[in-house]
Amino acid sequence: MKIILTGSTGFIGGEVLYQCLKNSSITSVIALSRRNLPDIVASNPKLKVVVLEDFMAYSNEVLQELAGAEACVWSLGGTARKFSSYEENHKVSVDYTLAAAEAFATFLAPQLDKRTKFRFVYLSGMMSERDTEKKFWYGQDTRKIKGEVENGLIECGTQHQDVIQTYIVKPGWVLAKGNGFFSNIMGLSISRCIRVDELATVMMDTALKGSNSQTIENDSLSSIELGKSHGCLPAPKLRNGWPLGIDLLLQIWQANANDRLMDLFMFHFEDVGITLEQKFLGTVAFGTIAPENLEAILSTQFNEFSYGLRRQIFFPLLGDAIFTQDGTAWKHSRELLRPQFSRQQYHFLFGESVYSLLPSQEGQGLKFAGEFDIAQDYIIKQFRLLDLYWFIGGRKFREACKSVQAFVEEMIRRRQESTDRSQQKADRYIFFDAVAQDTRDKDELRDQLINILLASRDTTACLLSWTFHLLVRHKHVLKKLRHEIDSIKPSEAEIRREDLKQMSYLTNVLKGTLRLFPSVPVNTRTAIQTTVLPTGGGPDGSSPVLLRRGTNVTYCVYAMHRRKDLYGDDAEDFRPDRWEDRDLPLYRNKTHAAWGYLPFNGGPRACLGQDFGLTEASGAVQETTEPGLDGLLVPPQFRRPENVQGTSEDDSRDVG
């Protein structure tokens, strides 16, 4: 669709332009302007800037540029104080607008398909007044001028009703986009307000699809109306004791310092509900552990959510790659990396070890691991501050990120300059080499490799650590696992993927571990448009919940995996046989069965390395749990002396 815009250098018109350039349904944008737009905007291939000296007259040349347009969003004008005189205000706000509507109705609209009417969307204001005789003690010029435009557009729409539809949008107080502290304060203290990005979306959608009402009042613009149409009810609120939810931040810091953060999140969901609203440093956000909501966020409503602040927070370390991208860039990265994870043989990332555990041999490898940990620690802390993430950072963080990137760049250089590549074993697959074949950009190669390193390093290590932690505490599980491995593993030959696939109990052991201790226990998404979560609102938690554009939603897989209504009364116990129980509550609901167990995310962003990670972990576990290797699982130096009692039941049970 081709669309005409005005006021593109202004606060609201600029946001309309931004929204239109992002929208895939809009193929061409013509911006009418008195001056050229900045190069960074004008260079967009979808945009054509037509400079008009006089908005009262449209030459044949200009009309040819506009031909084929099906709609116009008119954001030109403003309040009286913007102009030097009433005459200037009237000319720009009234004369220009009505001249354009008449020209478009006369010359552009008749050229369209007879089934298509040209849509003219005018930005007015909530306080406009169409009664020219009425007197006001404030804002009289602005209110009456906008009312005069509205009267003129209604008349134009009536005279040309066969070819044009005129729409009048009347917002109240327009706030800056975002969902940060100051916007929330304004939104709470001023009635009938709307954020500029929400307003721009409504105007663009009206240009694309029309509206049931010619005049769209402020109350209809509000996201509350969307909520009413879907039957939304408020989610239960997490109680705050201090203003702006500062106490929640302190709880999180204290729980994290005591290694009890997941326990805190569990308590919140158990105390309030499986979907909850919280105020965090003045910003409204939501948390959920409902499979129905995760399905919506990650799959059925995937295009309505993005990573939000994740890009800004992760960018110093990860750069521009798959874990910091949305949209087209993300699709490119996923297609670049997908083939590397579809192979049946697994590999080195860089072609050699970084020796991060051997400080005496490779000091740089140990430094790299340390700097990587420092950078990750800062990023985790930044995530907890949401919009105020920039409070945490500084020189140490920046230097750690630079050190990680420099190390990877050196590994790339060494690999590219390697003279013995041809001497590598033919069956050894190097991830770096495969990705390097598909990209010649060194920065992109570096960033993608760091992203893969982040995804694969700690996740697999956590899975193995928790698996061994649980096995040594559950002797009967370890015994059963060893029996299965011994009955399937070939006596002489190396174990194969096919052998691992047959080890169903090993699979259940890993699933049980990932259920209790998912490698990514908490994740977030941000609504990129005002939307609705399927469930979590109302007294019984079954009603839809309204999410305003820019709202952050946290989903806690750790807490969801321990819901007793999904996994039974023993949900917090390690029981691999659980997965063979056909009466497991999880299986009674199709959505719960598909989205109630989610260690590898789901939907279009499901983990590319799922098969690789599970195969890697399966191989390591079967090798380490062979009979006669008890010392690897329970090192002698950590064996409990016989005359010392356990400090808790969990500390002493089933230790083999």
Side-chain angles (χ1 to χ4, degrees):
M1 177 178 176
K2 185 175 182 178
I3 191 170
I4 302 167
L5 304 180
T6 66
S8 299
T9 58
F11 171 53
I12 298 173
E15 181 64 22
V16 174
L17 173 62
Y18 173 73
Q19 298 273 359
C20 289
L21 292 176
K22 285 201 313 179
N23 193 292
S24 59
S25 298
I26 297 175
T27 56
S28 177
V29 178
I30 304 295
L32 299 179
S33 178
R34 292 185 179 183
R35 60 183 184 274
N36 284 316
L37 300 183
D39 290 342
I40 192 171
V41 178
S43 61
N44 191 297
K46 287 174 61 170
L47 176 63
K48 170 75 173 181
V49 180
V50 175
V51 178
L52 280 183
E53 296 293 337
D54 184 2
F55 277 74
M56 293 292 294
Y58 293 84
S59 65
N60 289 334
E61 182 182 359
V62 171
L63 290 173
Q64 287 177 4
E65 290 282 4
L66 303 181
E70 297 180 34
C72 171
V73 177
W74 194 273
S75 306
L76 201 61
T79 59
R81 64 176 180 270
K82 180 179 177 181
F83 303 95
S84 59
S85 65
Y86 175 85
E87 290 72 24
E88 182 189 10
N89 185 2
H90 192 279
K91 180 179 181 181
V92 173
S93 299
V94 181
D95 299 343
Y96 284 0
T97 308
L98 298 182
E102 184 66 28
F104 298 164
T106 303
F107 298 105
L108 300 184
Q111 299 177 26
L112 300 175
D113 185 285
K114 291 184 179 181
R115 295 170 297 179
T116 302
K117 290 185 180 182
F118 189 93
R119 290 184 283 273
F120 190 98
V121 183
Y122 169 65
L123 174 63
S124 185
M126 183 178 70
M127 304 299 291
S128 62
E129 179 53 60
R130 296 173 187 174
D131 184 352
T132 58
E133 301 299 321
K134 201 169 184 178
K135 303 295 183 182
F136 301 97
W137 63 272
Y138 74 97
Q140 178 166 283
D141 288 350
T142 298
R143 297 171 71 177
K144 284 193 171 184
I145 280 179
K146 288 186 178 295
E148 184 178 348
V149 178
E150 293 177 15
N151 288 332
L153 289 175
I154 292 172
E155 183 179 353
C156 177
T158 301
Q159 290 180 352
H160 302 281
Q161 58 183 319
D162 292 336
V163 294
I164 192 171
Q165 293 173 312
T166 56
Y167 298 97
I168 298 158
V169 181
K170 303 182 65 172
W173 191 288
V174 182
L175 304 176
K177 68 178 179 178
N179 194 35
F181 172 77
F182 294 106
S183 290
N184 274 284
I185 293 296
M186 295 296 287
L188 290 171
S189 62
I190 300 174
S191 63
R192 296 184 175 181
C193 60
I194 187 171
R195 292 205 308 272
V196 65
D197 46 349
E198 292 180 330
L199 173 60
T201 298
V202 172
M203 295 175 70
M204 180 185 67
D205 286 347
T206 304
L208 285 169
K209 308 169 187 175
S211 173
N212 293 329
S213 302
Q214 183 179 34
T215 300
I216 306 173
E217 300 286 354
N218 183 77
D219 288 344
S220 297
L221 293 172
S222 172
S223 55
I224 295 175
E225 292 300 310
L226 175 66
K228 288 181 179 178
S229 68
H230 284 81
C232 293
L233 291 175
K237 292 181 173 64
L238 183 64
R239 294 181 294 274
N240 292 120
W242 294 8
L244 307 179
I246 295 174
D247 54 323
L248 178 57
L249 175 63
L250 296 179
Q251 288 177 17
I252 289 175
W253 287 122
Q254 184 175 9
N256 184 65
N258 295 325
D259 295 325
R260 308 292 289 183
L261 186 58
M262 292 301 108
D263 290 341
L264 176 65
F265 292 159
M266 286 274 292
F267 171 75
H268 286 162
F269 287 114
E270 291 172 356
D271 183 52
V272 180
I274 61 174
T275 297
L276 56 84
E277 179 183 326
Q278 58 189 327
K279 185 181 291 183
F280 189 77
L281 296 180
T283 298
V284 173
F286 287 82
T288 187
I289 56 172
E292 297 86 351
N293 289 340
L294 268 66
E295 179 185 31
I297 294 168
L298 301 177
S299 180
T300 56
Q301 296 168 222
F302 174 79
N303 291 326
E304 297 174 8
F305 293 88
S306 74
Y307 273 159
L309 292 171
R310 181 169 177 166
R311 178 176 176 83
Q312 295 96 305
I313 294 172
F314 267 118
F315 194 85
L317 175 63
L318 300 185
D320 190 22
I322 191 167
F323 290 135
T324 59
Q325 295 171 332
D326 282 308
T328 303
W330 163 74
K331 290 180 181 178
H332 164 75
S333 291
R334 192 166 177 90
E335 292 306 313
L336 173 68
L337 298 175
R338 187 196 304 273
Q340 321 313 329
F341 287 102
S342 63
R343 299 174 180 268
Q344 298 298 304
Q345 54 184 168
Y346 296 115
H347 45 73
F348 285 111
L349 181 62
F350 298 114
E352 61 180 284
S353 173
V354 300
Y355 298 108
S356 61
L357 300 179
L358 298 175
S360 61
Q361 295 185 26
E362 293 284 345
Q364 287 300 311
L366 181 63
K367 180 183 178 184
F368 165 72
E371 299 286 7
F372 202 86
D373 288 339
I374 291 172
Q376 283 185 284
D377 185 57
Y378 271 92
I379 286 171
I380 291 170
K381 291 178 180 178
Q382 287 178 334
F383 255 115
R384 293 173 190 151
L385 292 181
L386 296 177
D387 291 333
L388 301 179
Y389 72 91
W390 43 269
F391 271 166
I392 294 179
R395 182 177 177 181
K396 186 176 181 181
F397 173 56
R398 292 192 299 270
E399 289 182 350
C401 293
K402 289 180 180 178
S403 178
V404 169
Q405 293 178 347
F407 182 87
V408 173
E409 288 171 356
E410 174 61 18
M411 295 295 290
I412 291 173
R413 185 192 64 78
R414 285 165 55 179
R415 185 66 189 163
Q416 289 176 334
E417 294 179 357
S418 175
T419 58
D420 62 350
R421 195 177 307 181
S422 61
Q423 298 175 8
Q424 296 275 357
K425 291 183 179 179
D427 60 349
R428 173 174 289 182
Y429 171 72
I430 308 301
F431 190 97
F432 167 87
D433 294 341
V435 177
Q437 289 177 1
D438 294 321
T439 178
R440 298 301 178 188
D441 186 296
K442 290 185 178 180
D443 288 343
E444 181 183 12
L445 179 58
R446 177 201 65 201
D447 294 345
Q448 297 290 9
L449 291 174
I450 295 176
N451 276 244
I452 296 303
L453 182 62
L454 176 75
S456 60
R457 175 180 178 255
D458 289 348
T459 52
T460 306
C462 285
L463 171 56
L464 289 172
S465 296
W466 283 116
T467 299
F468 296 144
H469 172 87
L470 292 168
L471 286 176
V472 299
R473 284 161 175 76
H474 297 81
K475 185 176 179 180
H476 64 286
V477 174
L478 179 58
K479 181 179 180 180
K480 185 173 180 178
L481 176 61
R482 282 175 165 166
H483 176 74
E484 178 184 72
I485 293 171
D486 188 53
S487 64
I488 295 176
K489 183 178 180 180
S491 57
E492 299 293 339
E494 292 185 359
I495 195 161
R496 304 166 301 169
R497 285 174 55 91
E498 292 74 15
D499 300 323
L500 294 175
K501 294 290 185 183
Q502 294 181 50
M503 298 180 183
S504 59
Y505 193 69
L506 172 57
T507 297
N508 288 341
V509 166
L510 295 178
K511 286 183 68 176
T513 303
L514 286 168
R515 183 184 71 83
L516 290 173
F517 302 104
S519 298
V520 183
V522 181
N523 217 321
T524 63
R525 292 292 186 270
T526 300
I528 60 176
Q529 65 185 62
T530 299
T531 186
V532 171
L533 289 180
T535 188
D540 62 356
S542 63
S543 298
V545 175
L546 180 72
L547 288 185
R548 293 189 66 177
R549 178 188 175 98
T551 301
N552 293 309
V553 184
T554 298
Y555 55 97
C556 183
V557 177
Y558 180 95
M560 182 177 71
H561 286 178
R562 293 167 182 252
R563 282 179 53 178
K564 293 182 179 180
D565 59 329
L566 297 181
Y567 290 98
D569 291 337
D570 64 345
E572 297 206 37
D573 292 344
F574 178 60
R575 183 167 64 84
D577 289 321
R578 182 187 314 274
W579 304 104
E580 305 300 328
D581 182 1
R582 293 297 96 189
D583 292 327
L584 189 69
L586 181 75
Y587 298 145
R588 298 172 189 169
N589 179 289
K590 185 177 179 181
T591 301
H592 290 179
W595 295 91
Y597 174 71
L598 219 60
F600 293 99
N601 227 334
R605 283 192 183 268
C607 178
L608 283 171
Q610 176 176 347
D611 181 68
F612 168 63
L614 289 175
T615 302
E616 184 179 36
S618 297
V621 171
Q622 67 84 24
E623 288 288 347
T624 311
T625 55
E626 285 187 17
L629 295 180
D630 297 63
L632 291 179
L633 285 177
V634 189
Q637 61 267 35
F638 291 112
R639 289 186 185 276
R640 189 184 306 278
E642 293 183 3
N643 60 342
V644 176
Q645 298 297 318
T647 56
S648 70
E649 181 183 354
D650 182 68
D651 283 337
S652 57
R653 68 181 182 185
D654 250 351
V655 177

